């Protein structure tokens, strides 16, 4: 089955609205879900959406939009999300960082007591649209075993960076070889993992997603990726009043309270250099890459995937269709009216 971007947006909004979410939360969750699917991160789009429904049903996601700013200075803020939608909390946190950066050149906002927020790059894109450099990091349930250990302690801890320019320049990646969401997606589809991605609980290489979820995921780039994930754990745990290491829960199991943390940074280029000159030099750098045979820049793959998804729609596998059907049937929503045959 295929769903168009407009229909995906409408479907998510209708489901959440019938569950009692506010209009603003419906819009933000729908936009973040669609953004993941358009960019090819289907493990964080509609494929992850049933997790949010389980969270709502179990009370780990609150439908009440009542974030609390616990601490604030002209440059920083600390937000308690009060278990609301991760997408809404993250969006507001980045916008607060942007407002501070407009005045001071930089804004930094941490969040805790939030929830899974989709793809990290959705929020660095928010900064780009305001002419800011966006930097976003988060921690997750333990997935990476420290070097020398077989016990997962560190999350897949994503990082996203967005650069405002005439071209789309954005990095969005887990610090593990693959995101846990992709392993969950492989499990749902009944597919094996690529080799050299994960270990089972005994420390042996595995391509079985079920065994990988009980074991650990390898860090990208070996020890370098592990050390980056290690640092992100501190910056999105102790720094922002969130849990860390073995204490992080709720990003993969929606029945558990989500105890992870996030950090959002906005940097105003015009406070450093002339804005036009900055963008011209960024484009000049991209030209150097391309004229010397470079084929890939940060964000180029996402641009291609977005164009393909907009032209051909977004695929929904049979298992996801079953999950969405169950949700829609309970809410008296006609799922098939939103879908097309492949």
């Amino acid at each position: 089955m295929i769903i168009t971007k407009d229909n995906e947006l409408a479907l998510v909004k209708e489901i959440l609205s019938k569950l009692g979410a506010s209009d603003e939360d419906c819009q933000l969750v729908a936009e973040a879900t669609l953004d993941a699917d358009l960019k090819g991160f289907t493990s964080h789009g509609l494929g992850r959406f049933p997790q949010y429904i389980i969270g709502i049903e179990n009370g780990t996601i609150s439908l009440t939009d009542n974030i609390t700013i616990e601490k604030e200075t002209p440059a920083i803020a600390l937000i308690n999300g009060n278990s609301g939608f991760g997408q809404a909390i993250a969006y507001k946190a980045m916008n607060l960082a942007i407002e501070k950066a407009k005045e001071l050149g930089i804004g930094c906002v941490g969040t805790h007591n939030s929830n899974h927020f989709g793809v990290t790059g959705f929020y660095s894109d928010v900064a780009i649209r305001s002419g800011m450099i966006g930097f976003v990091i988060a921690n997750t349930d333990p997935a990476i075993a420290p070097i020398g250990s077989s016990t997962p302690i560190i999350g897949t801890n994503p990082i996203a960076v967005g650069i405002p320019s005439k071209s789309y320049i954005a990095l969005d990646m887990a610090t593990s070889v693959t995101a846990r969401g992709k392993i969950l997606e492989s499990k749902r589809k009944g597919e094996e993992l690529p080799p050299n991605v994960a270990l089972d609980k005994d420390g042996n290489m595995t391509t079985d997603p079920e065994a990988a979820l009980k074991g650990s995921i390898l860090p990208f780039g070996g020890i370098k990726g592990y050390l980056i994930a290690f640092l992100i754990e501190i910056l999105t745990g102790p720094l922002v009043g969130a849990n860390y290491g073995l204490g992080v829960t709720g990003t993969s199991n929606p029945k558990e309270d989500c105890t992870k943390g996030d950090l959002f940074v906005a940097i105003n280029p015009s406070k450093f250099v002339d804005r036009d000159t900055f963008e011209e030099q960024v484009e000049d750098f991209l030209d150097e890459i391309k004229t010397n045979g470079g084929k890939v820049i940060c964000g180029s793959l996402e641009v291609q995937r977005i164009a393909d998804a907009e032209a051909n729609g977004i695929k929904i596998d049979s298992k996801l269709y079953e999950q969405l059907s169950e949700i829609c049937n309970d809410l008296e929503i006609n799922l098939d009216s939103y879908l097309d045959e492949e």
Side-chain angles (χ1 to χ4, degrees):
M1 304 296 286
I2 295 290
I3 189 167
T4 66
K5 68 172 187 176
D6 289 341
N7 280 356
E8 178 169 329
L9 199 66
L11 173 62
V12 173
K13 288 168 66 175
E14 183 177 5
I15 291 172
L16 293 177
S17 179
K18 287 205 170 188
L19 287 169
S22 68
D23 290 345
E24 182 181 32
D25 283 358
C26 288
Q27 185 69 32
L28 289 174
V29 175
E31 288 182 0
T33 301
L34 175 61
D35 184 71
D37 281 326
L38 288 176
K39 291 176 178 174
F41 301 124
T42 54
S43 57
H44 289 59
L46 271 180
R48 198 64 168 251
F49 185 69
Q51 174 177 316
Y52 307 146
I53 306 303
I54 295 171
I56 293 170
E57 292 172 345
N58 283 271
T60 58
I61 296 179
S62 171
L63 294 176
T64 303
D65 184 13
N66 62 340
I67 68 169
T68 304
I69 299 179
E70 295 181 331
K71 296 181 180 180
E72 187 170 19
T73 74
I76 69 100
L78 180 64
I79 288 177
N80 183 336
N82 293 312
S83 298
F85 284 106
Q87 294 86 346
I89 297 163
Y91 181 81
K92 292 170 184 177
M94 179 51 87
N95 273 293
L96 181 56
I98 289 167
E99 290 306 309
K100 293 179 179 297
K102 287 179 179 177
E103 295 297 322
L104 297 178
I106 190 167
C108 183
V109 177
T111 69
H112 62 99
N113 200 9
S114 182
N115 272 293
H116 189 274
F117 59 32
V119 288
T120 315
F122 180 74
Y123 309 98
S124 52
D125 284 356
V126 172
I128 290 175
R129 290 194 291 271
S130 293
M132 304 285 172
I133 296 169
F135 176 81
V136 185
I137 52 177
N139 67 0
T140 75
D141 286 25
I144 297 174
I147 303 298
S149 171
S150 60
T151 302
I153 296 177
I154 299 173
T156 55
N157 298 1
I159 178 171
V161 182
I163 307 293
S165 68
K166 295 176 183 178
S167 302
Y168 178 66
I169 303 177
L171 168 75
D172 184 358
M173 55 176 273
T175 46
S176 51
V177 173
T178 189
R180 190 201 309 270
K182 291 184 179 180
I183 295 180
L184 291 169
E185 184 176 54
S186 294
K187 178 184 175 182
R188 186 188 76 232
K189 292 181 176 180
E191 298 174 347
E192 287 195 343
L193 302 174
N196 302 316
V197 164
L199 306 176
D200 63 20
K201 61 182 178 60
D202 297 317
N204 301 311
M205 288 287 183
T206 183
T207 58
D208 177 5
E210 183 69 38
L213 291 170
K214 294 177 181 178
S216 61
I217 308 173
L218 296 173
F220 86 92
I223 192 169
K224 293 182 180 179
Y226 159 69
L227 293 175
I228 293 172
F230 175 97
L231 293 174
I232 291 175
E233 196 75 36
I234 296 171
L235 295 174
T236 57
L239 181 65
V240 300
N243 274 9
Y244 50 89
L246 296 174
V248 182
T249 60
T251 62
S252 61
N253 183 354
K255 295 181 180 180
E256 298 176 332
D257 289 331
C258 190
T259 62
K260 64 132 180 174
D262 314 305
L263 191 67
F264 304 85
V265 180
I267 300 171
N268 188 347
S270 66
K271 295 292 187 179
F272 287 84
V273 293
D274 176 74
R275 172 63 186 275
D276 291 338
T277 301
F278 172 77
E279 290 198 1
E280 288 171 2
Q281 291 180 340
V282 169
E283 288 299 320
D284 181 61
F285 170 60
L286 296 185
D287 287 341
E288 288 183 352
I289 299 291
K290 294 173 184 177
T291 56
N292 284 281
K295 301 296 183 183
V296 178
I297 62 171
C298 288
S300 61
L301 294 177
E302 284 84 349
V303 170
Q304 294 172 15
R305 291 168 180 166
I306 290 170
D308 179 69
E310 289 180 340
N312 302 309
I314 298 154
K315 293 183 179 181
I316 295 179
D317 63 81
S318 59
K319 184 62 177 179
L320 177 56
Y321 175 78
E322 291 176 9
Q323 293 174 341
L324 293 174
S325 293
E326 184 176 348
I327 293 168
C328 289
N329 289 339
D330 289 344
L331 297 171
E332 298 183 346
I333 295 172
N334 183 1
L335 173 61
D336 290 338
S337 67
Y338 286 96
L339 305 178
D340 298 316
E341 296 286 346
E342 287 191 55

